[in-house]
Amino acid sequence: MENFLQIIFRTLILYILIHIIFRIMGKREIGELSILDLVVFIMIGELAVVAIERPNVRIFDAILPMVILMLIQISMAFFSLKSKKFRDLVDGKPSIIINRGKVDEDVMRKQRYNFDDLMTQLREKDIRSIADVEFAILESSGSLSVIEKQMTNNEPKSGDITIPLILDGTIDEENLRKINKTNLWLRQELKKQGYRDIKKISFCSFENGKFFVDLMDEQ
């Protein structure tokens, strides 16, 4: 019974302490956490779990490293405010994934970011086609900022969801079947457009009777 009460007491104390620590460190949405924030939050959470699960460990031994982590995070945040170089070193720099309508595969490779990630984040912003995007910037927090192309009255925004037919030089046979097309049809149509080497195409989709083709960056 005594052990049970001790666990309840520790849980309440640590809950209040973590709440205070997070308030002191500042408010941020989960999607806006930097790598440093995420590491600190995980470590504080782990320390709290250890303190609750091991009643034989003094609670002060868990509280002290939590406070130290809080002070480290506050200090790093202060230096980040004062120095852009330090901020870029700690948080990283935004990366331009789509630049003037052209997908930058080199940047995607450096960020270990693939077309599935790109299309998922575009759909979350109600953008159905890569062809509608002028700029897409992968922020240091991992969120994607998008600037859409300015469409004219004669060029309406795409109404269909992007279905990739070619990804990284490989034809997606399953998606071809979804639109009732064949491998041969795709190759012939791309040849008419001047694209003879499938392996040089990083991304290709077919929507509203039009192809959107993005070539791989030249090495």
Side-chain angles (χ1 to χ4, degrees), residues 159-214:
D160 298 329
I161 296 175
T162 296
I163 297 179
L165 302 182
I166 298 175
L167 281 175
D168 298 321
T170 303
I171 295 176
D172 192 318
E173 300 289 350
E174 184 178 346
N175 284 343
L176 272 175
R177 288 193 291 272
K178 287 180 182 178
I179 62 173
N180 298 317
K181 301 296 182 181
T182 65
N183 188 306
L184 179 61
W185 170 85
L186 178 60
R187 290 178 181 276
Q188 288 177 338
E189 291 299 316
L190 288 176
K191 281 183 181 179
K192 293 176 184 178
Q193 303 275 336
Y195 304 106
R196 296 183 175 276
D197 190 349
I198 298 295
K199 294 189 180 298
K200 290 184 178 180
I201 298 175
S202 64
F203 181 88
C204 171
S205 64
F206 182 71
E207 302 166 56
N208 301 322
K210 294 182 179 180
F211 283 97
F212 173 79
V213 178
D214 185 87

Side-chain angles (χ1 to χ4, degrees), residues 79-89 93:
F79 288 121
S80 294
L81 288 173
K82 296 296 183 179
S83 170
K84 186 178 184 307
K85 288 183 179 179
F86 184 81
R87 184 165 62 250
D88 290 341
L89 178 65
K93 296 181 180 180

